[in-house]
Amino acid sequence: MYQYKAILKSTKEVVAEGHTVQDVENQIVHFKRGQKRDEHTDMNVPIEIFHVFRHGEKDELIKVV
């Protein structure tokens, strides 16, 4: 199970999941580059990175990219 996830702030769509914050940030860079390849139009939407707890507790916001 992943420990961190990145979510678009406007639509709450999960755009990245990983075991470290660095892994998630690398996936966010690839997501943002996808706009150049016409995969989506969400390049300028803020992305929130959350720490996911295993026991169903609330997710903790780490930072906004």
Side-chain angles (χ1 to χ4, degrees):
M1 181 174 175
Y2 57 89
Q3 295 177 350
Y4 298 94
K5 66 180 175 181
I7 299 176
L8 285 176
K9 191 169 185 174
S10 62
T11 62
K12 303 298 182 198
E13 174 188 352
V14 176
V15 295
E17 300 171 343
H19 292 288
T20 65
V21 175
Q22 186 66 35
D23 290 342
V24 173
E25 288 176 344
N26 290 339
Q27 291 178 21
I28 289 171
V29 169
H30 291 291
F31 176 79
K32 288 188 174 187
R33 289 180 182 161
Q35 196 262 345
K36 293 179 183 178
R37 296 184 299 266
D38 295 328
E39 294 175 6
H40 57 78
T41 58
D42 297 322
M43 184 172 178
N44 295 326
V45 176
I47 298 175
E48 299 174 328
I49 298 177
F50 287 94
H51 180 261
V52 179
F53 294 101
R54 293 180 181 220
H55 301 292
E57 301 173 15
K58 289 183 75 177
D59 297 342
E60 178 184 355
L61 178 65
I62 302 293
K63 67 180 183 178
V64 177
V65 181

